[in-house]
Amino acid sequence: GESVGLHLPTLSVQEGDNSIINCAYSNSASDYFIWYKQESGKGPQFIIDIRSNMDKRQGQRVTVLLNKTVKHLSLQIAATQPGDSAVYFCAGEHPGSARQLTFGSGTQLTVLP
Amino acid sequence: DTAVSQTPKYLVTQMGNDKSIKCEQNLGHDTMYWYKQDSKKFLKIMFSYNNKELIINETVPNRFSPKSPDKAHLNLHINSLELGDSAVYFCASSHGGDRYTFGSGTRLTVV
């Protein structure tokens, strides 16, 4: 199976600073990963995804890094804004999982003024 | 237009009752899912379903059953509700397992 975990349950950053949220996974066969953002009272929203044939992918103000050697991925948010405050989840899939996403435990990001 | 919509948003019911949560997606996705989010925000897959197969997470009690009248709908039926069923339930859909789109959740409270 797959287990996915986040390193820190909470993270506080100053507005304008960069944020880094880390995640580890257990199954070396995992080949697809997604980061989601969940605001209070809402469902998870897709942020960015990455496949195992890549080690970096960039979006608007976000970058995902994948290190398959140590089975670790991270989400970097540039110039963090108050609207970035939310719970962030990493999730992974492997071919044997019937393409079901397994979620990590989530990191609560708080942006300080 | 809401891509994945689920109803009701809130559901309060007594132990022992039977209830349903409805989910519809208008994205043309081929696979739909139900996830349960507990009080610690942990999201756990319950079911995935496409027109070919139903995958049931082995930890889900058989009081929970998904019903799909067509590709755009996956409803969740729960029999004999228990206190421990209280949680937020999310419906999601995807095309081939990529980029799941989630609904806004149904907060179920069993009293």
Side-chain angles (χ1 to χ4, degrees):
Chain A
E2 168 68 287
S3 70
V4 180
L6 280 160
H7 287 184
L8 290 174
T10 61
L11 177 66
S12 296
V13 297
Q14 291 292 138
E15 183 178 352
D17 286 354
N18 297 334
S19 304
I20 299 176
I21 303 172
N22 295 303
C23 184
Y25 60 96
S26 64
N27 191 330
S28 56
S30 294
D31 60 0
Y32 180 61
F33 302 91
I34 308 182
W35 281 98
Y36 281 91
K37 172 186 179 184
Q38 186 177 23
E39 296 173 277
S40 181
K42 296 183 179 180
Q45 294 174 271
F46 172 87
I47 302 174
I48 193 167
D49 59 355
I50 189 168
R51 297 199 179 276
S52 58
N53 60 353
M54 303 172 71
D55 52 23
K56 179 179 180 179
R57 192 155 189 231
Q58 288 184 291
Q60 187 178 10
R61 282 201 306 118
V62 294
T63 300
V64 56
L65 299 177
L66 176 62
N67 185 330
K68 294 179 287 293
T69 303
V70 296
K71 291 183 281 189
H72 178 273
L73 67 158
S74 65
L75 177 71
Q76 301 178 3
I77 305 173
T80 313
Q81 301 169 0
D84 295 327
S85 291
V87 178
Y88 288 81
F89 294 94
C90 62
E93 275 183 5
H94 61 88
S97 67
R99 310 314 303 184
Q100 290 183 348
L101 276 178
T102 299
F103 279 76
S105 53
T107 290
Q108 172 70 59
L109 175 66
T110 301
V111 181
L112 305 172
Chain B
D1 285 343
T2 304
V4 179
S5 60
Q6 45 183 119
T7 55
K9 189 170 177 64
Y10 300 96
L11 182 55
V12 182
T13 188
Q14 291 187 324
M15 275 195 305
N17 284 351
D18 302 337
K19 289 293 178 185
S20 296
I21 306 173
K22 294 185 176 181
C23 179
E24 176 181 6
Q25 56 98 0
N26 62 7
L27 298 166
H29 286 167
D30 58 10
T31 309
M32 296 183 72
Y33 313 83
W34 279 103
Y35 276 80
K36 179 181 180 180
Q37 187 171 47
D38 62 22
S39 57
K40 296 183 178 178
K41 297 283 191 181
F42 188 66
L43 275 160
K44 191 166 185 181
I45 182 78
M46 300 177 70
F47 307 98
S48 65
Y49 183 79
N50 62 26
N51 59 2
K52 295 174 185 173
E53 65 179 334
L54 170 68
I55 306 290
I56 303 172
N57 184 299
E58 60 191 12
T59 66
V60 175
N62 58 14
R63 298 180 295 103
F64 290 78
S65 58
K67 297 247 184 341
S68 180
D70 55 56
K71 281 179 62 174
H73 296 83
L74 184 66
N75 304 324
L76 181 65
H77 296 269
I78 317 170
N79 294 326
S80 303
L81 277 154
E82 301 178 357
L83 293 176
D85 298 333
S86 295
V88 181
Y89 292 83
F90 287 100
C91 177
S93 69
S94 78
H95 184 70
D98 288 356
R99 298 194 181 190
Y100 289 30
T101 300
F102 282 81
S104 56
T106 295
R107 181 174 293 276
L108 172 66
T109 304
V110 183
V111 297

